[in-house]
């Protein structure tokens, strides 16, 4: 597989993200049937710079911002949310790999930064301690993009040489694992989020990192600023941005249908269609989508500024989950209002509706747990007379 070298531009060529969105949209119907993206779409994801987005510059990466990440992922999702989801995962797991020791980073990016990684936060599998590391084996479900991955960061509870256990990410190459088809879902069908299966494979200790370090943002000293961010402050961005783009795509499809109906006023009179009611749907759903975008942009900009406190991180997570709730509400109203034609299984509106609802069902986008965490910290902050903390950051 051809990779761009470290000397080539760290940012994608002008128009690469838009071209990816168009290509993904053209392949979307077949990708749904195949339950994975086309090779052409994956190469376009690579070419648009998603895999290298958070990779350190010393490996040829972009050391990109969260604000750019949200914007570009949402733009791709307007063409195909599944493609945007996989592009977002490629960037997100690439950021997590920046927490690995230098030797492991060299294994991943020594020949270039455009490497596809997969992974997940929940531990699975088993690790048997051996000299110099562990024998890792097991099954890891929901590995989005696994069919086109180059490496995997597998989360597992491992025994430590000094005693006790610790949840760690362990790096394994693509040649070590196989894929079992298990992804048969209502939406996000083309993400290919099948199960990774690993027979006992030796993983050196230098190819692993404690999950707590990744969650807390304790990156190595030479890491870029985009790594020194608590995971809670940004993890929801990876999944909310594709949902936001899906809502925009749904709105565009719905507006096209409305334009067709208004071109045939006799049909509108026959069906009792009210232009005033339709205008209200448009204004309300477009406003909801804009509001969700503003919430995600604020969270992304906060992460780019750095210095995230626990309360600010909790607010960011709250906003990411709330944004997902808002856009799903908008998409559901558009879908209901579109009439029978909008429910066609082969239509783009129905695909955006399926993808938005499935994407928003991800565990990290559930509002109630985020609300509890935020409320606990916000009330404690107010009780200590420090309620101005967040307002001070916004000045």
């Amino acid at each position: 597989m051809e990779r761009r070298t470290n000397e080539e531009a760290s940012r994608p060529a002008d128009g690469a993200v838009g071209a990816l969105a168009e290509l993904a949209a053209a392949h979307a119907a077949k990708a749904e049937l195949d339950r994975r993206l086309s090779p052409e779409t994956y190469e376009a994801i690579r070419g648009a710079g998603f895999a290298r987005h958070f990779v350190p510059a010393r490996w040829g990466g972009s050391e990109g911002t969260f604000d750019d990440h949200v914007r570009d992922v949402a733009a791709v999702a307007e063409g195909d949310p599944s493609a945007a989801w996989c592009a977002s995962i490629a960037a997100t797991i690439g950021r997590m790999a920046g927490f690995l020791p230098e030797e492991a980073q060299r294994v991943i990016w020594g020949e270039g930064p455009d490497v596809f990684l997969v992974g997940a936060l929940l531990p699975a599998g088993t690790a048997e301690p051996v000299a110099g590391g562990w024998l890792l084996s097991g099954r890891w479900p929901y590995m989005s993009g696994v069919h086109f991955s180059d490496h995997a960061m597998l989360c597992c509870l491992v025994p430590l040489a000094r005693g006790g256990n610790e949840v760690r990410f362990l790096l394994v190459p693509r040649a070590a694992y196989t894929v079992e088809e298990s992804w048969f879902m209502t939406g996000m069908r083309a993400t290919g989020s099948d199960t990774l299966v690993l027979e006992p494979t030796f993983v050196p200790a230098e190819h692993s990192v404690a999950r707590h370090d990744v969650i807390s943002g304790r990156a190595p000293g030479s890491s870029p600023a985009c790594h020194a961010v608590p995971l809670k402050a940004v993890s929801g961005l990876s999944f909310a941005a594709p949902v936001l783009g899906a809502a925009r795509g749904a709105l565009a499809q719905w507006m096209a249908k409305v334009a067709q109906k208004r071109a045939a006023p006799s049909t509108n009179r026959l069906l009792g269609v009210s232009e005033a009611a339709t205008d209200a749907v448009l204004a309300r759903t477009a406003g909801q989508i804009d509001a969700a975008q503003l919430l995600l942009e604020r969270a992304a900009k906060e992460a780019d500024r750095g210095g995230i406190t626990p309360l600010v991180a909790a607010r960011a997570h709250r906003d990411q989950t709330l944004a997902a709730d808002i856009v799903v509400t908008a998409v559901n109203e558009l879908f209901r209002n579109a009439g029978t034609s909008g429910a066609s299984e082969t239509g783009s509106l129905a695909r955006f509706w399926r993808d938005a609802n499935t994407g928003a069902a991800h565990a990290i986008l559930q509002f109630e747990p985020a609300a509890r965490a935020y409320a606990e910290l916000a009330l404690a902050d107010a009780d200590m007379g420090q309620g101005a903390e967040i307002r001070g950051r916004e000045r």
Side-chain angles (χ1 to χ4, degrees):
M1 142 176 59
E2 184 179 348
R3 303 189 196 282
R4 294 188 287 177
T5 64
N6 291 0
E7 287 73 30
E8 293 180 284
S10 62
R11 289 289 297 156
D14 290 344
V17 171
L20 167 59
E22 292 180 7
L23 176 69
H27 286 263
K30 186 175 187 302
E32 271 208 313
L33 294 175
D34 293 342
R35 290 180 295 106
R36 70 187 68 170
L37 301 177
S38 69
E40 294 88 350
T41 300
Y42 257 101
E43 285 311 306
I45 290 173
R46 194 191 306 276
F50 283 98
R52 66 166 58 194
H53 185 76
F54 292 119
V55 174
R58 69 182 185 278
W59 301 116
S62 300
E63 294 188 5
T65 66
F66 292 99
D67 194 33
D68 285 345
H69 178 64
V70 168
R71 183 196 64 230
D72 291 347
V73 169
V76 174
E78 292 184 52
D80 180 12
S82 287
W85 188 277
C86 291
S88 185
I89 291 296
T92 298
I93 305 301
R95 189 183 87 91
M96 291 168 56
F99 290 79
L100 288 163
E102 187 78 3
E103 178 182 326
Q105 293 189 35
R106 184 174 292 106
V107 168
I108 299 171
W109 297 310
E111 296 182 7
D114 297 309
V115 177
F116 283 131
L117 296 106
V118 293
L121 281 175
L122 294 180
T126 58
E128 177 186 346
V130 295
W134 300 274
L135 277 180
L136 182 67
S137 62
R139 299 159 54 84
W140 285 261
Y142 307 129
M143 285 287 177
S144 300
V146 65
H147 294 276
F148 294 91
S149 60
D150 299 306
H151 298 270
M153 287 184 64
L154 301 181
C155 192
C156 185
L157 181 66
V158 304
L160 301 176
R162 62 179 181 271
N165 299 293
E166 181 178 58
V167 178
R168 298 183 70 84
F169 288 105
L170 294 89
L171 180 71
V172 297
R174 178 63 183 89
Y177 53 86
T178 58
V179 180
E180 178 183 288
E181 293 192 357
S182 57
W183 185 247
F184 301 94
M185 297 295 172
T186 300
M188 292 291 182
R189 295 173 181 174
T191 60
S193 303
D194 287 315
T195 297
L196 183 153
V197 180
L198 181 71
E199 297 299 324
T201 300
F202 174 68
V203 179
E206 306 81 52
H207 288 190
S208 73
V209 62
R211 185 178 67 170
H212 178 70
D213 289 346
V214 177
I215 291 175
S216 64
R218 287 207 302 257
S222 59
S223 292
C226 58
H227 291 184
V229 179
L231 190 62
K232 177 178 283 189
V234 295
S235 59
L237 294 175
S238 302
F239 307 104
V243 177
L244 171 65
R248 288 183 192 158
L251 180 61
Q253 291 296 315
W254 181 87
M255 290 175 67
K257 288 181 178 294
V258 169
Q260 290 176 348
K261 289 179 180 179
R262 289 193 174 180
S266 59
T267 301
N268 289 346
R269 287 193 297 271
L270 178 64
L271 298 176
V273 175
S274 165
E275 288 194 2
T278 302
D279 290 347
V281 171
L282 172 58
R284 180 167 49 251
T285 57
Q288 289 170 326
I289 293 168
D290 286 349
Q293 176 181 332
L294 291 172
L295 287 172
L296 296 183
E297 286 177 349
R298 181 175 70 175
K301 286 179 168 64
E302 284 279 9
D304 290 332
R305 287 171 57 188
I308 299 292
T309 66
L311 178 55
V312 172
R315 184 186 70 173
H317 189 204
R318 176 207 70 187
D319 287 352
Q320 293 152 21
T321 62
L322 182 58
D325 279 2
I326 291 171
V327 295
V328 166
T329 298
V331 170
N332 287 345
E333 181 165 4
L334 292 169
F335 183 74
R336 182 181 62 185
N337 184 267
T340 304
S341 64
S344 171
E345 190 175 53
T346 59
S348 296
L349 178 57
R351 174 168 56 83
F352 285 121
W353 173 72
R354 292 193 299 270
D355 288 350
N357 278 274
T358 301
H362 194 281
I364 204 68
L365 294 181
Q366 301 313 298
F367 180 72
E368 286 75 13
R372 285 197 301 270
Y374 168 75
E376 181 179 349
L377 288 171
L379 291 172
D381 187 62
D383 187 55
M384 294 175 63
Q386 298 174 352
E389 176 190 356
I390 285 180
R391 293 191 296 275
R393 285 182 60 89
E394 294 176 337
R395 292 193 184 99

